[in-house]
Amino acid sequence: MAGAGVIEDYVADLGLRLRGDKRAKLDLLTEARDSLEDAAECYREAGLCAQDAERRAVDEFGPAPQIARDYQAELAVAYGARTLRSILLVLPGANLLWELTRMIWFGPWENFPGVPPPSWYYIFTQLNDTMSWAVAVATALALLVGRFWSRRTTDTCLVARCVAGVALTAMTAALLASTALFVATAWFDPGRMFNSPALFLAGVISFTALIRLTVMARRTASFCV
């Protein structure tokens, strides 16, 4: 096994160029180190000294900037897939939590205490509900298409950008729909947000989940750069 030297310097340089999930990044670096050490071992057996063997292995592996671009694309795809799975699971779950809490405490929208909302208010409630499920469907399709596509293309960078684009677009749409409902509620009757402590808590949890997922989507996009 090669000692610390050219290979370790190369792997360290590679690591500094990569951004992404720590575990996925560590796996890639470990894979690179193992490949380099195996190649160096072959060159030592062929008669090269340890340092020359490591240098030859590194030269054949490729320049760190070029390898880092390929690895970065893999990290972006992996984090993007994780983000899409999170959206698919968390967003409908948060929406169901809020809806179930509302039904348990008040039932249909018409049963809310206070003045009945105007007709335009229901547009925002329907938009928010529809957007949550539309985003979930789009995310599920993106995961299926992305898995199929990634097995049939060598352009990992393009796959990563598409995954990031879907995640960012989906979460932006969901966040805007939720924000629009919040603004409409505050405009019509701010007290509706505080009629039930349980419903208020469910709303906070749902909106926090939206923010967290949006941050993940933005991070996915930044990993593609």
Side-chain angles (χ1 to χ4, degrees), residues 120-121 124 176-190 193:
W120 59 262
Y121 183 76
F124 290 95
L176 286 176
S178 182
T179 302
L181 177 59
F182 174 82
V183 172
T185 303
W187 179 271
F188 161 62
D189 182 11
M193 295 183 290

Side-chain angles (χ1 to χ4, degrees), residues 96-113 192-203:
L96 281 174
L97 172 66
W98 196 92
E99 289 293 336
L100 287 174
T101 305
R102 174 178 64 82
M103 291 299 296
I104 291 172
W105 281 81
F106 297 113
W109 282 99
E110 293 80 2
N111 293 348
F112 261 71
R192 291 172 71 91
M193 295 183 290
F194 306 99
N195 282 331
S196 163
L199 195 60
F200 177 76
L201 179 60

Side-chain angles (χ1 to χ4, degrees), residues 147-161:
R147 177 171 296 183
F148 176 83
W149 187 20
S150 62
R151 293 175 179 175
R152 288 163 174 78
T153 182
T154 57
D155 194 347
T156 311
C157 292
L158 181 59
V159 176
R161 293 190 186 100

Side-chain angles (χ1 to χ4, degrees), residues 14-107:
L14 199 59
L16 292 174
R17 299 174 185 270
L18 299 178
R19 293 171 295 116
D21 179 76
K22 290 182 179 179
R23 179 173 296 180
K25 177 180 173 180
L26 180 60
D27 288 343
L28 284 176
L29 293 176
T30 300
E31 179 184 336
R33 181 183 289 106
D34 290 344
S35 297
L36 288 166
E37 289 177 348
D38 288 343
E41 181 67 26
C42 292
Y43 285 124
R44 283 198 302 274
E45 291 177 355
L48 293 180
C49 67
Q51 188 174 20
D52 289 343
E54 289 191 12
R55 186 175 293 108
R56 177 71 66 85
V58 166
D59 290 342
E60 289 192 351
F61 197 75
Q66 177 183 335
I67 301 301
R69 283 194 296 271
D70 296 336
Y71 278 10
Q72 185 60 54
E74 293 185 37
L75 289 173
V77 170
Y79 190 84
R82 172 185 168 187
T83 300
L84 291 179
R85 288 193 297 268
S86 297
I87 294 172
L88 182 59
L89 293 174
V90 175
L91 191 59
N95 188 56
L96 281 174
L97 172 66
W98 196 92
E99 289 293 336
L100 287 174
T101 305
R102 174 178 64 82
M103 291 299 296
I104 291 172
W105 281 81
F106 297 113

